Amino acid sequence: MITKRVLDALEIHEGIASILKQRTAKSDWKTFTRTVFNLIAKYINQNVTRTVVENPYLLQEHLLFGEQKFEMLLSELKLDNSDDLVEYLKALEPNKPFNWVSGKTLQSYWSGGSPKELKLNVLLTFLAVPIQEWDEWKYGAATIIPNENSSKPNDLTEGYFNFSKTKTVKDHFLKCISKYYLGSYFLYYLKSDKHGKVVKAPFIIYEDEEGEILFRTINEGQRYISYPAQKMANALCFMGKNLDWEEINEMHLINIGMETNPEVLFGVSITMSKYGGFPMALKNILIRQSHDIHFLDEVKEKEFYIDHTAENEQDALVLNYFKKQESQIMFAEFGCSLADFKETLNNL
């Protein structure tokens, strides 16, 4: 999903238009070859490189690629810090700029592809959009371009759960969500590292311009936005997409019930453990806030130990809940034979 505003701005950009006049007579970007998109990408990369050299904070704040890639580049290039990386970018030949975005990636956006957050930041940097307007450009009215060359979903998860932007009529369940459950929450869960730390993260359930119900959150320094919500039995089901890293999506299942004044919600988030890559589920508590956490720009996530002295009644209630629960984390073990399974049971 990429906003029409971004697509249109790229299609009418004077610099790109000048290149296209010399290389193709076509005007429909969906018909461009990979070679044409490679030329466009090269022009974008040249301009973004110049912008980064002039504005090093784009590197220092990891706005165009994540911290992990930043550290990897420093290691590969044998550099010490962001200043060294800026000097490296300065020394690159204009004809061989840093690869901020590829022609293949650009082409995918005109074939129904969904861009990562940081790639969108690259495009907005190229378009010289002020940072304070980035959210408006990225999350405004969106368009999905159908992939006419494929008869099945490109993303198995999205296709399986039918997380699409094609619905126009809500069922009774989602109408109830729109009426009673939209708003700002704090999400609490116990970390999986077994150090007894609780994460408290802002979590917003909202309705977009097309009437779809979504969530946004900042969780352990990483931003998530969901595909449109679905009903799973009597639970609210979100599939969350990581905007900062190429990671597997997370599923959130929230038990709704019949409450018309929801203040505390319970559920689970299903993800992969960072230690060993095991599938696991974490118990979640969502507590509604009386004020909006607008765009998560002022409220960030916090971590504290489960035996921490709570600063307010809300935190104290959550910590007390977690202390009284025997298990907050459920791991899925490796597959095994029936004989091994029987032996495991005997050893428990």
Side-chain angles (χ1 to χ4, degrees):
M1 179 176 62
I2 186 170
T3 61
K4 187 174 185 298
R5 187 176 185 181
V6 174
L7 296 177
D8 288 347
L10 291 169
E11 289 184 3
I12 65 173
H13 190 277
E14 291 184 1
I16 294 177
S18 177
I19 294 173
L20 295 179
K21 282 181 182 179
Q22 303 172 29
R23 301 305 297 259
T24 180
K26 296 179 179 179
S27 59
D28 184 354
W29 282 48
K30 287 186 286 186
T31 66
F32 287 172
T33 64
R34 177 69 56 77
T35 300
V36 173
F37 276 107
N38 285 342
L39 290 171
I40 297 171
K42 182 177 180 180
Y43 181 75
I44 290 174
N45 290 333
Q46 289 170 336
N47 282 270
V48 171
T49 298
R50 283 196 292 268
T51 302
V52 170
V53 168
E54 295 170 0
N55 301 274
Y57 70 88
L58 292 167
L59 284 179
Q60 295 160 358
E61 298 182 19
H62 310 299
L63 295 176
L64 305 186
F65 52 71
E67 185 175 1
Q68 185 177 14
K69 183 172 181 178
F70 175 78
E71 296 295 337
M72 181 182 69
L73 278 173
L74 293 184
S75 176
E76 287 181 356
L77 300 172
K78 296 181 171 55
L79 304 176
D80 293 329
N81 49 48
S82 61
D83 291 337
D84 290 346
L85 187 51
V86 170
E87 293 302 316
Y88 167 81
L89 293 175
K90 281 183 183 178
L92 290 176
E93 296 179 19
N95 198 44
K96 296 180 180 179
F98 186 84
N99 188 33
W100 302 101
V101 66
S102 69
K104 179 180 179 181
T105 297
L106 283 179
Q107 188 175 31
S108 72
Y109 301 156
W110 274 265
S111 303
S114 182
K116 289 291 183 182
E117 179 91 353
L118 296 177
K119 293 301 182 186
L120 272 176
N121 290 352
V122 167
L123 297 181
L124 295 176
T125 298
F126 166 72
L127 293 170
V129 176
I131 287 183
Q132 61 268 28
E133 297 179 18
W134 280 11
D135 276 348
E136 181 184 346
W137 278 69
K138 289 187 287 190
Y139 307 120
T143 181
I144 286 186
I145 303 172
N147 186 349
E148 299 173 355
N149 298 320
S150 177
S151 60
K152 60 184 180 179
N154 289 330
D155 186 295
L156 177 61
T157 303
E158 184 175 352
Y160 181 81
F161 290 101
N162 193 29
F163 287 133
S164 64
K165 301 282 287 184
T166 59
K167 299 194 308 298
T168 57
V169 180
K170 287 191 180 71
D171 61 16
H172 177 71
F173 177 82
L174 292 178
K175 285 181 180 177
C176 288
I177 300 300
S178 294
K179 185 173 182 179
Y180 300 114
Y181 290 83
L182 304 184
S184 295
Y185 296 79
F186 273 119
L187 165 69
Y188 294 85
Y189 65 89
L190 193 64
K191 293 191 70 174
S192 62
D193 57 11
K194 300 181 181 180
H195 294 315
K197 280 189 175 181
V198 174
V199 174
K200 175 183 179 181
F203 192 99
I204 302 171
I205 302 176
Y206 69 100
E207 196 170 65
D208 70 5
E209 295 176 356
E210 298 179 21
E212 302 285 7
I213 298 170
L214 311 169
F215 82 73
R216 292 183 66 193
T217 186
I218 293 180
N219 188 338
E220 295 192 79
Q222 300 179 43
R223 297 164 296 170
Y224 287 83
I225 187 170
S226 72
Y227 295 104
Q230 300 283 307
K231 179 183 179 182
M232 183 176 287
N234 291 316
L236 182 63
C237 178
F238 288 111
M239 187 65 72
K241 175 182 177 182
N242 191 313
L243 298 176
D244 295 320
W245 301 102
E246 297 283 348
E247 293 189 353
I248 296 174
N249 297 334
E250 290 188 348
M251 179 186 287
H252 287 259
L253 290 171
I254 302 172
N255 193 13
I256 296 300
M258 302 295 291
E259 182 59 59
T260 58
N261 182 32
E263 294 181 306
V264 183
L265 304 177
F266 299 90
V268 295
S269 54
I270 302 170
T271 184
M272 300 293 288
S273 167
K274 294 179 181 178
Y275 306 96
F278 292 99
M280 66 178 184
L282 304 176
K283 290 184 180 179
N284 291 172
I285 300 177
L286 287 163
I287 298 187
R288 192 168 192 164
Q289 303 302 297
S290 59
H291 62 282
D292 286 338
I293 308 172
H294 181 65
F295 280 118
L296 316 180
D297 53 359
E298 296 178 357
V299 181
K300 305 298 181 184
E301 82 284 355
K302 296 181 180 179
E303 293 184 7
F304 39 80
Y305 288 99
I306 197 167
D307 56 1
H308 165 78
T309 301
E311 298 177 355
N312 55 61
E313 181 184 16
Q314 176 178 301
D315 291 354
L317 290 171
V318 171
L319 291 176
N320 191 33
Y321 173 87
F322 281 137
K323 287 175 185 177
K324 292 185 177 181
Q325 297 295 312
E326 291 185 3
S327 176
Q328 318 300 333
I329 304 167
M330 293 150 277
F331 286 93
E333 295 88 354
F334 285 123
C336 63
S337 67
L338 184 60
D340 288 340
F341 180 54
K342 290 180 180 178
E343 184 179 348
T344 300
L345 290 178
N346 293 332
N347 293 332
L348 289 178

